[in-house]
Amino acid sequence: MPQTEELLKRLGVTIDPETLRLALTHRSFAYENGGIPTNERLEFLGDSVLGFTVTDYLYANYPDLPEGDLAKRRSAVVSTRALARLAREHQVGPHILLGQGEILTDGQNKSSILADTMEALIGATYRSNGLRVAQDLVLRLVLPLLTEVEDHGLGMDWKTTIQEAAAGRKLGAVEYLVTGSGPDHARQYEATLKIGEKTYRSGTGPSKKEAEQMAAAASWPDLQDEGL
């Protein structure tokens, strides 16, 4: 297991070693090591801290938004996709304790495992430091994502956003040209967005769906420049 000091430095928090190890213990590792505790309880706790902190921030800082718009913004930054993106940005994956089956199937890069571990780390921060420190961590993590939501106005489901906008403007069929590379246990995909006869940007990910989302997100600013 790589040293965790750098991970804590990237997150900007301190977590006591026992709690940190628990936060990084996936159930596959626990099962292979005699049924030791997993990070699932910390994940449950972190999910609550995350949801409350984001909800409180949105309520205080967007006084004119109706409940539905607040909910859309919240869902955009607490989704599995958003949390997995944050985990990748902070290089959480290499620190997760995984069983051999998950290691062989590149579990450290699976969005569900990354997102769950991110919530567990938030829970661990709360247990080690209290609510204020945990909330500060959450806001450091999600404020850049909320800024993206504010800039684009339609959340982070870029595929749906582009599909609806292209249909409204009658720009032609939206499709993604997808290629895969690498061994089966560590497959990587690249997707390129095409609308009508025009080709836009590409994105990569460990699944076709995520590669398509990344391509859509990368292409959205260009589409906005074109008045979409």
Side-chain angles (χ1 to χ4, degrees):
M1 181 180 180
Q3 294 298 312
T4 55
E5 289 84 356
E6 289 299 318
L7 172 60
L8 293 178
K9 188 179 297 184
R10 288 192 293 272
L11 294 175
V13 296
T14 59
I15 301 174
D16 73 83
E18 182 178 351
T19 305
L20 177 59
R21 182 177 178 84
L22 181 60
L24 296 170
T25 301
H26 186 256
R27 63 177 176 271
S28 62
F29 181 88
Y31 176 78
E32 292 182 8
N33 287 270
I36 62 175
T38 75
N39 65 1
E40 292 176 350
R41 283 170 53 86
L42 282 175
E43 173 198 338
F44 171 77
L45 182 61
D47 176 67
S48 295
V49 174
L50 171 66
F52 169 74
T53 302
V54 172
T55 301
D56 182 61
Y57 178 87
L58 290 170
Y59 183 87
N61 288 275
Y62 295 87
D64 298 324
L65 281 185
E67 181 271 342
D69 289 339
L70 294 174
K72 289 179 182 178
R73 280 168 166 76
R74 180 179 61 192
S75 65
V77 300
V78 303
S79 66
T80 294
R81 184 186 307 119
L83 292 172
R85 171 181 164 182
L86 291 171
R88 292 188 179 101
E89 289 175 355
H90 290 83
Q91 301 171 46
V92 172
H95 299 275
I96 303 173
L97 296 170
L98 297 168
Q100 286 301 309
E102 289 292 355
I103 290 173
L104 292 174
T105 56
D106 197 30
Q108 70 170 20
N109 199 37
K110 290 181 180 178
S111 291
S112 59
I113 292 177
L114 288 169
D116 291 347
T117 305
M118 204 73 229
E119 289 180 335
L121 287 167
I122 293 169
T125 301
Y126 168 71
R127 293 295 298 172
S128 291
N129 303 280
L131 183 59
R132 178 61 64 84
V133 174
Q135 289 185 302
D136 287 345
L137 170 62
V138 168
L139 292 176
R140 286 200 306 275
L141 292 170
V142 305
L143 284 183
L145 302 184
L146 283 170
T147 299
E148 287 188 20
V149 173
E150 182 68 20
D151 288 345
H152 298 305
L154 292 169
M156 294 176 64
D157 186 359
W158 306 120
K159 285 183 64 178
T160 299
T161 298
I162 288 174
Q163 184 70 43
E164 292 175 349
R169 295 284 300 278
K170 296 181 171 59
L171 298 180
V174 177
E175 59 181 322
Y176 295 86
L177 310 176
V178 182
T179 59
S181 61
D184 289 343
H185 67 273
R187 198 79 169 153
Q188 283 290 309
Y189 295 89
E190 181 177 32
T192 302
L193 171 65
K194 186 177 180 182
I195 303 177
E197 298 300 316
K198 186 167 183 177
T199 300
Y200 290 88
R201 295 183 183 268
S202 300
T204 60
S207 69
K208 292 180 181 180
K209 183 177 179 180
E210 289 189 55
E212 290 171 357
Q213 282 286 355
M214 295 302 291
S219 301
W220 178 248
D222 293 343
L223 291 163
Q224 281 194 308
D225 288 343
E226 294 176 4
L228 187 65

